[in-house]
Amino acid sequence: MTVLLLGGTSDIGGEVAARVCPGRDVVLAMRNPSAGTEAEKRLLERGAKSVRSVAFEATDFASHRRVIEDAGDVTTAIVAFGILGDQAKAEHDEAEAVRIATVDYTAQISVLTVLADTMKRGEIFAFSSIAGWRARRANYVYGSTKAGLDAFCQGLADRLHGSAVKLITARPGFVIGSMTEGMTPAVMSVTPDVVADAVVHAAQAQTSTTVWIPRRLRALAAVMRVVPRALWRRMPR
């Protein structure tokens, strides 16, 4: 019964792992395994049976199945890697646009497909975002990847229906953490621990589910759909 965290240094992923690790083996998959020392120590302090860090490169699709299968009997998978990227650069540099799309969408559907194919039971945590609900001028490249990932997760949840594996899809608002350091928090911002509490609680359900974090964000999302485009294009990140 292994916990696999893809994105071993992720703020949100680490918080989720800390809540589900007691008495279990944990595998932290990240680009630089030597960076996992602090995360390993924290999880052991939180009751993990064992913790090890392994190399994982999101853009190396051919390695995904091997990394996941080598992790052991995965019963909890946390797909928490990703980048914000540079929106301003991506508007003129196709390589940056493709880099964001590759890490935040293509690599995500790759590992989610492998997890759904190999896991016999348990839960998969995936992270969408309010940014994908309606893409904004200020961050449409990142937002488009979240829109695609959200749609993929809806279909994957239906595919897993009736099986012993469930998919918990998080739709948080602005998350205050290392990825957004230096940015001004948006309305209804949350912290990684709040996101983790919400998705771990949602995993207690018997089936796949999607979680707005915070819950009242659902009401804001409904309003977002009807804002006139002339006004919407001036909305900040």
Side-chain angles (χ1 to χ4, degrees), residues 1 8 35 50 65-66 86 130 144 156 173 224:
M1 296 180 62
S50 71
R65 186 171 291 268
R66 174 186 54 77
D86 187 331
I130 187 66
S144 69
L156 181 58
M224 287 168 58

Side-chain angles (χ1 to χ4, degrees), residues 2 21 23 26 36 38 58-60 73 78 92 124 128 137 141 152 160 163 182 185 193-194 206 212 223 233-234:
T2 298
C21 72
V26 181
E38 288 301 315
T59 58
D60 182 8
D73 182 17
I78 308 163
H92 305 282
I124 303 169
S128 180
R137 165 68 181 85
V141 179
F152 180 85
L160 293 172
S163 74
D193 60 305
V194 172
Q206 297 301 308
W212 288 99
V223 173
R233 70 170 57 100
R234 293 195 291 271

Side-chain angles (χ1 to χ4, degrees), residues 8 12 77 81 90 102 106 116 144 158 185 193 211 226:
I12 297 174
F81 62 88
T102 300
T106 309
S144 69
D158 288 339
D193 60 305
V211 190
V226 297

Side-chain angles (χ1 to χ4, degrees), residues 30-217:
M30 64 191 79
R31 176 176 290 178
N32 179 12
S34 64
T37 304
E38 288 301 315
E40 291 178 11
K41 179 180 178 182
R42 183 190 180 208
L43 293 175
L44 289 170
E45 290 174 347
R46 292 294 292 265
K49 181 181 177 182
S50 71
V51 186
R52 62 187 174 96
S53 296
V54 301
F56 168 71
E57 175 53 63
T59 58
D60 182 8
F61 306 130
S63 71
H64 290 177
R65 186 171 291 268
R66 174 186 54 77
V67 170
I68 291 170
E69 291 181 343
D70 287 351
D73 182 17
V74 176
T75 51
T76 297
I78 308 163
V79 183
F81 62 88
I83 58 174
L84 278 178
D86 187 331
Q87 169 70 30
K89 181 179 179 181
E91 291 179 15
H92 305 282
D93 183 347
E94 66 274 21
E96 176 65 3
V98 169
R99 183 178 79 95
I100 298 169
T102 300
V103 175
D104 291 343
Y105 178 66
T106 309
Q108 303 271 333
I109 66 172
S110 174
V111 298
L112 285 168
T113 298
V114 176
L115 289 167
D117 187 52
T118 58
M119 288 177 62
K120 300 178 177 61
R121 64 196 186 285
E123 59 276 333
I124 303 169
F125 294 99
F127 297 90
S128 180
S129 170
I130 187 66
W133 191 245
R134 184 178 180 185
R136 308 183 200 188
R137 165 68 181 85
N139 68 341
Y140 65 82
V141 179
Y142 174 79
S144 69
T145 69
K146 290 301 184 180
L149 177 62
D150 199 285
F152 180 85
C153 286
Q154 291 175 47
L156 181 58
D158 288 339
R159 176 200 158 189
L160 293 172
H161 184 71
S163 74
V165 179
K166 56 193 172 186
L167 174 65
I168 311 302
T169 305
R171 284 183 188 151
F174 186 101
V175 180
I176 301 170
S178 58
M179 183 180 285
T180 57
E181 186 175 357
M183 297 172 61
T184 302
V187 176
M188 298 189 198
S189 294
V190 291
T191 51
D193 60 305
V194 172
V195 178
D197 284 341
V199 297
V200 171
H201 176 74
Q204 297 175 16
Q206 297 301 308
T207 60
S208 298
T209 188
T210 299
V211 190
W212 288 99
I213 309 165
R215 289 184 181 180
R216 64 184 184 278
L217 191 64

